[in-house]
Amino acid sequence: MNQPSPKATSRQWRGVIREYADRLDVTDATPVVTLGEGGTPLLPAPALSRRTGADVWVKYEGMNPTGSFKDRGMTMAVTKAVERGAKVVICASTGNTSASAAAYAAHAGIKAAVLVPEGKIAMGKLSQAIAHNGELLQVQGNFDDCLDIARDLAANYPVHLVNSVNNDRIEGQKTAAFEIVEAHGDAPDFHFIPVGNAGNYTAYTRGYREDIAAGNATRMPRMFGFQASGSAPIVRGEPVKHPETIASAIRIGNPASWELALSARDETDGYFGAIDDDKILEAQRILSAEVGIFVEPASAISVAGLLERSAAGVIPAGARVVLTVTGHGLKDPQWALRTADGSDVQPTIVPVDTAQIAAVLGLAS
Ligand SMILES: *Cc1c(COP(=O)(O)O)cnc(C)c1O
């Protein structure tokens, strides 16, 4: 694709493939498909440090072009698909993969077909896939059914699979670990991350491992992954037939990268835990109200996981902790409005009257 002169781009982040070309399977001839993904903020979270006694940082992946970390993998997957001559990519999705695949396919001028579980994906994600001209089909089954069919189609028809079972996705996603090591000068002691298919858990472990091999990092973080209690196959040690959770992005009963995730856990002295939906929503609220970062429910499980492990006494004082928060809160905004009794917050209505508004705001003494 067209690239402006190096001078013109010297202050602009160029997307993960160009930024990390020497650490990915690309050449000068690779037709890079990028929307400028990666280079996301790594922010201190003083409110969480105070609550836990640890030194807590948040990797804000909602700041990617389509609002989730999926873009890091999708730039690689669509680039490699185009390099191999693909005209159509296909994926199964709980929402964010479909939004990302449709956007990158649109940018590349190819077609994206996406299979999503009927009625189970957030409105923001559905509208993204449609907006980017994805061919979106709602399958009358769950995510795991969608992935089975997507794999079937890729094996038997001229379509290219861009789910995280595609190694190009994992390769692109490992760059988030590179960015963390670059920002801090080393890997953290603990890394907390949501787990659905466990592709991202696998990708970070690979990124850190490569940084250690390259001499950029001196240690492997303990990788702590979290699933929703109603959808926790890895924690329970068996597939969940009918996974249920409000965290729709991780509503997966039979993770594609299950085996890889178990070996990554063993390699990193890691951990998999399960968190109830009410704790996920509580953590989402803490992150938005006390840190200023709005994430979708699945992402908040990193925060809930930290609070749970900290209460369990597992996180030493002063430990460097990084939480990956995977997707933007605007993807699935309804949960932020929900009150404890299940009704929605109703913003106060006031007349056009300064004195009365001052009184309502508690400004008048
Ligand atoms: C895809 C996704 C996940 C789960 O990632 P896996 O690689 O499938 O484990 C978590 N959170 C969000 C917001 C996602 O879109």
Side-chain angles (χ1 to χ4, degrees), residues 121-145:
I121 81 167
M123 184 61 74
K125 305 174 189 180
L126 188 74
S127 52
Q128 284 181 289
I130 305 277
H132 295 305
N133 204 29
E135 176 96 41
L136 182 132
L137 302 179
Q138 297 207 61
V139 177
Q140 294 171 316
N142 61 29
F143 169 83
D144 304 288
D145 299 320

Side-chain angles (χ1 to χ4, degrees), residues 67-70 93-97 125 143 164 169-170 173 193-203 226 248-250 252 255-257 296-301 325-328 331:
S68 86
F69 77 86
K70 296 299 198 302
S93 178
T94 57
N96 283 328
T97 299
K125 305 174 189 180
F143 169 83
S164 59
R169 282 272 311 277
I170 308 284
Q173 287 170 209
I193 187 165
V195 172
N197 273 311
N200 215 23
Y201 184 95
T202 305
F226 293 86
S248 57
I250 52 172
I252 290 171
S257 295
E296 63 172 284
S299 308
I301 204 169
V325 294
T326 43
H328 205 287
K331 296 255 188 190

Side-chain angles (χ1 to χ4, degrees), residues 8-240:
T9 59
S10 62
R11 288 177 61 85
Q12 173 150 341
W13 180 265
R14 299 166 297 165
V16 298
I17 295 180
R18 291 202 178 101
E19 294 292 335
Y20 296 107
D22 55 334
R23 308 179 71 178
L24 295 167
D25 176 25
V26 292
T27 68
D28 289 346
T30 301
V32 177
V33 180
T34 178
L35 292 168
E37 62 294 315
T40 55
L42 177 63
L43 302 166
L48 296 176
S49 296
R50 271 196 305 279
R51 279 170 186 264
T52 59
D55 175 25
V56 184
W57 295 72
V58 176
K59 184 67 170 161
Y60 190 8
E61 290 289 279
M63 293 298 282
N64 277 293
T66 76
S68 86
F69 77 86
K70 296 299 198 302
D71 296 340
R72 292 181 185 274
M74 205 54 73
T75 183
M76 264 305 273
V78 172
T79 291
K80 297 300 281 185
V82 169
E83 189 170 55
R84 293 173 190 128
K87 297 281 180 274
V88 188
V89 294
I90 188 159
C91 63
S93 178
T94 57
N96 283 328
T97 299
S98 67
S100 187
Y104 282 80
H107 199 68
I110 63 172
K111 185 172 153 140
V114 300
L115 305 179
V116 301
E118 183 185 18
K120 293 295 184 188
I121 81 167
M123 184 61 74
K125 305 174 189 180
L126 188 74
S127 52
Q128 284 181 289
I130 305 277
H132 295 305
N133 204 29
E135 176 96 41
L136 182 132
L137 302 179
Q138 297 207 61
V139 177
Q140 294 171 316
N142 61 29
F143 169 83
D144 304 288
D145 299 320
C146 293
L147 182 57
D148 286 345
I149 293 172
R151 292 174 111 149
D152 227 9
L153 289 170
N156 295 298
Y157 297 86
V159 291
H160 190 94
L161 187 69
V162 293
N163 278 105
S164 59
V165 292
N166 175 337
N167 187 55
D168 299 326
R169 282 272 311 277
I170 308 284
E171 281 290 294
Q173 287 170 209
K174 76 183 180 187
T175 59
F178 297 165
E179 290 175 20
I180 291 165
V181 168
E182 261 177 56
H184 281 163
D186 205 344
D189 298 307
F190 293 85
H191 191 116
F192 284 73
I193 187 165
V195 172
N197 273 311
N200 215 23
Y201 184 95
T202 305
Y204 273 88
T205 306
R206 184 185 295 180
Y208 286 127
R209 186 191 304 126
E210 291 184 6
D211 258 343
I212 292 168
N216 300 328
T218 64
R219 60 190 179 216
M220 177 61 90
R222 296 184 67 186
M223 293 294 302
F224 278 29
F226 293 86
Q227 305 188 297
S229 299
S231 179
I234 298 180
V235 178
R236 301 197 190 303
E238 59 182 7
V240 175

Side-chain angles (χ1 to χ4, degrees), residues 358-359 362-365:
L363 301 173
S365 50

